[in-house]
Amino acid sequence: MGQGLWRVARNQQLQHQGYSGQGYLTREHGRRVTTNNVSNTNHRKQAQGGIDIYHLLKTRKSKEQEGFINLEMLPPELSFTILSYLNATDLCLASCVWQDLANDELLWQGLCKSTWGHCSIYNKNPPLGFSFRKLYMQLDEGSLTFNANPDEGVNYFMSKGILDDSPKEIAKFIFCTRTLNWKKLRIYLDERRDVLDDLVTLHNFRNQFLPNALREFFRHIHAPEERGEYLETLITKFSHRFCACNPDLMRELGLSPDAVYVLCYSLILLSIDLTSPHVKNKMSKREFIRNTRRAAQNISEDFVGHLYDNIYLIGHVAA
């Protein structure tokens, strides 16, 4: 009696796991049953009029393409979203398979504007035969030329109609581009002070703490490695721009562009003192406050102390 009940319970368990009373049901048969169930489910979904994404993702043209998603079988919005994650090199390779999709103008326009945020040609009526893919190649070629010779690079952009011969347009291009070599850019701006002036005015330092604003400034316009006339020019231009962006704060603190200039120079010297491994005796907070207030007497002790804390905790302003 007990053995009979055990045998019935065991048979039910085996049937649940893919066995039968007559013998073993192969795993392949179980797979076919599962596949048929999924297929029937998908068929029911399609019969209801909806697009089954799962079915589309599993579609294959041939056995050779097993494991390879054919983007042409997907909705266009989904295909373009997938391709938008590719860089220019991978997108060119993708065009060998999906020529119409990978050569879409919107994809190449996004690549251009994400790398070179401003070009004069963006705001013009495109000439006959214009292509953003071709424009990307020209922008890349021009950037490489600039990193070898800045003047030749700018002339290349102008010759292709990408940039207008205007200091303001060149400044906007530099401000919105991160592919330019900073050492070559520093040489170019030192020679083109008209472009430097327009580049400074593109910065907005409103409601920023002075050391943080100085760091942002030097991220776009790199400071020279040595002190000199160019560094003094940069600090002077920054001081006037910072005051112009924060008129209320300047009145509240009683600061002028000359006072901001003194503070900026003090911050640079303090940064070198605190971060240089060659300086054994680091400047203390009390020494920094005393030296700074000696040069700019109207500045409060608390404000100068906050400046020291910022450099001590965050680091160099021109790194």
Side-chain angles (χ1 to χ4, degrees), residues 54-61 65 68-70 73:
Y54 177 83
H55 175 72
L56 291 173
L57 289 172
K58 292 295 183 180
T59 301
R60 304 288 184 265
K61 281 189 174 181
Q65 290 180 320
F68 183 77
I69 298 175
N70 185 0
M73 302 299 295

Side-chain angles (χ1 to χ4, degrees), residues 295-306:
Q297 300 178 357
N298 294 331
I299 303 174
S300 69
E301 183 174 329
D302 290 340
F303 182 76
V304 179
H306 292 322

Side-chain angles (χ1 to χ4, degrees), residues 19-264:
Y19 292 81
S20 68
Q22 285 77 24
Y24 176 69
L25 292 178
T26 63
R27 292 184 180 180
E28 184 63 25
H29 176 71
R31 286 200 195 99
R32 285 200 294 268
V33 172
T34 303
T35 303
N36 290 336
N37 291 336
V38 173
S39 178
N40 291 336
T41 301
N42 292 335
H43 180 73
R44 285 195 299 271
K45 289 182 180 179
Q46 291 178 2
Q48 295 173 358
I51 298 176
D52 186 55
I53 300 300
Y54 177 83
H55 175 72
L56 291 173
L57 289 172
K58 292 295 183 180
T59 301
R60 304 288 184 265
K61 281 189 174 181
S62 64
K63 292 183 179 180
E64 290 76 17
Q65 290 180 320
E66 187 173 358
F68 183 77
I69 298 175
N70 185 0
L71 296 184
E72 293 178 347
M73 302 299 295
L74 301 178
E77 297 82 359
L78 184 57
S79 301
F80 289 134
T81 301
I82 295 172
L83 291 174
S84 66
Y85 288 97
L86 302 181
N87 57 31
T89 302
D90 292 336
L91 197 57
C92 287
L93 294 174
S95 66
C96 298
V97 181
W98 305 291
Q99 185 173 0
D100 293 336
L101 290 173
N103 286 331
D104 187 82
E105 281 291 277
L106 288 177
L107 291 175
W108 287 98
Q109 181 180 359
L111 280 175
C112 288
K113 292 189 176 181
S114 63
T115 309
W116 299 274
H118 176 84
C119 294
S120 304
I121 197 172
Y122 292 161
N123 302 319
K124 298 178 180 179
N125 293 325
L128 187 63
F130 174 81
S131 166
F132 274 102
R133 177 172 178 169
K134 180 180 178 182
L135 177 61
Y136 184 96
M137 305 305 172
Q138 292 175 339
L139 285 167
D140 188 55
E141 178 69 22
S143 297
L144 292 174
T145 304
F146 183 97
N147 293 338
N149 188 310
D151 290 326
E152 290 184 5
V154 173
N155 291 333
Y156 175 87
F157 290 130
M158 293 179 182
S159 66
K160 300 297 182 181
I162 297 173
L163 276 181
D164 292 341
D165 189 3
S166 163
K168 189 173 183 178
E169 286 296 300
I170 299 174
K172 287 182 179 180
F173 175 80
I174 293 173
F175 185 78
C176 299
T177 302
R178 298 292 178 270
T179 60
L180 304 179
N181 182 275
W182 64 271
K183 291 184 178 180
K184 297 295 184 179
L185 183 58
R186 185 172 61 191
I187 296 173
Y188 180 77
L189 293 175
D190 190 13
E191 297 174 352
R192 292 292 303 269
R193 298 298 176 89
D194 53 344
V195 176
L196 177 62
D197 290 338
D198 286 315
L199 186 58
V200 172
T201 60
L202 293 175
H203 289 81
N204 184 8
F205 302 122
R206 183 172 178 80
N207 296 328
Q208 291 192 32
F209 194 38
L210 181 60
N212 296 334
L214 198 57
R215 288 188 185 93
E216 180 183 333
F217 179 74
F218 283 131
R219 273 196 294 268
H220 286 92
I221 307 173
H222 293 271
E225 297 176 353
E226 299 178 354
R227 304 178 197 174
E229 186 269 337
Y230 182 54
L231 177 61
E232 294 176 358
T233 299
L234 291 180
I235 298 177
T236 301
K237 293 182 182 299
F238 168 82
S239 302
H240 284 84
R241 182 58 183 168
F242 185 83
C243 292
C245 293
N246 300 280
D248 297 335
L249 179 64
M250 296 301 102
R251 285 193 297 268
E252 179 183 345
L253 297 176
L255 296 177
S256 64
D258 291 339
V260 174
Y261 176 92
V262 173
L263 291 177
C264 290

